[in-house]
Amino acid sequence: MALRLELSVKAKNGLDFLMAASVVWAIIAFVWTLPYSPGHKAFITFFVGPATFPLAMLFSKVVGTTWRLPHNPLQPLGLWLNVAQLFYFPFLVFVYAKYPAYFIMTYGIITGAHFFPYAWLYYARPYAAMAGIIPIGCLVLGLRLPVTQLYIIPVFMVGALLVLSGLLRVAYRRNKQAYAPLALPAS
């Protein structure tokens, strides 16, 4: 548990990535308001999404997170879990090619579902809760909204990511208190 608490505290539960993802999903929401076909909007979205990583690097400087903890064997797992969502992209490409109007719903579902293992990694239950809420929310919206209002899905994503960030901030404070007695003194 000490290794997980250290990751939670030093990485601040991944808040830098969630802040970056909130900005990216806000841009995606704007893209889905444009007067283009769903296929064209999905194509643009493919190129907006990768901005998450460089933005997370920037936000890491702002919030003071630590990405590298060479002594902690769990540290690389965070990156592996993030990369794991790329294995769902063939399904996303299929949806893009065959059902472009469902692309944004599918992208939201993949994004939300990939949060589940972070609940264990960072010892933060809000990740598990949102890993269920986000995909179900995206599914309900995607099945109910007319094509002209699909921008509501990325707006929902921004809201969900901001709520998750707030909940993770609370979890960070709790984990920081629990980690303090376990932390090794600086040499």
Side-chain angles (χ1 to χ4, degrees):
M1 168 138 39
L3 294 173
R4 290 167 50 208
L5 285 172
E6 180 185 36
L7 285 177
S8 172
V9 170
K10 302 274 174 88
K12 294 189 178 174
N13 287 338
L15 287 172
D16 46 5
F17 274 94
L18 292 173
M19 293 167 66
S22 297
V23 170
V24 167
W25 277 97
I27 295 167
I28 292 170
F30 170 74
V31 167
W32 282 78
T33 65
L34 297 174
Y36 302 135
S37 70
H40 194 166
K41 294 177 205 181
F43 184 76
I44 296 169
T45 300
F46 265 122
F47 292 97
V48 174
T52 304
F53 188 76
L55 280 173
M57 289 173 48
L58 174 69
F59 283 120
S60 175
K61 305 290 185 215
V62 173
V63 297
T65 58
T66 302
W67 284 19
R68 303 202 35 86
L69 299 168
H71 63 278
N72 188 325
L74 293 178
Q75 181 263 318
L77 184 57
L79 178 61
W80 282 103
L81 294 175
N82 202 20
V83 170
Q85 73 178 318
L86 297 177
F87 290 103
Y88 295 104
F89 273 48
F91 181 65
L92 191 60
V93 170
F94 169 80
V95 172
Y96 167 74
K98 298 291 185 179
Y99 308 101
Y102 292 107
F103 173 89
I104 197 62
M105 174 192 75
T106 306
Y107 197 29
I109 289 170
I110 291 170
T111 300
H114 103 279
F115 289 143
F116 189 73
Y118 289 98
W120 180 87
L121 182 66
Y122 289 132
Y123 201 66
R125 289 184 184 156
Y127 272 121
M130 292 309 269
I133 292 169
I134 290 173
I136 291 169
C138 288
L139 177 65
V140 169
L141 290 171
L143 294 176
R144 300 192 71 136
L145 290 171
V147 173
T148 57
Q149 294 180 348
L150 290 175
Y151 66 88
I152 292 173
I153 294 171
V155 169
F156 165 76
M157 287 296 298
V158 171
L161 291 170
L162 292 175
V163 167
L164 178 56
S165 296
L167 294 171
L168 288 173
R169 183 81 175 136
V170 171
Y172 162 76
R173 287 189 197 124
R174 184 198 71 228
N175 288 350
K176 187 175 179 183
Q177 287 179 328
Y179 176 68
L182 304 173
L184 297 173
S187 25

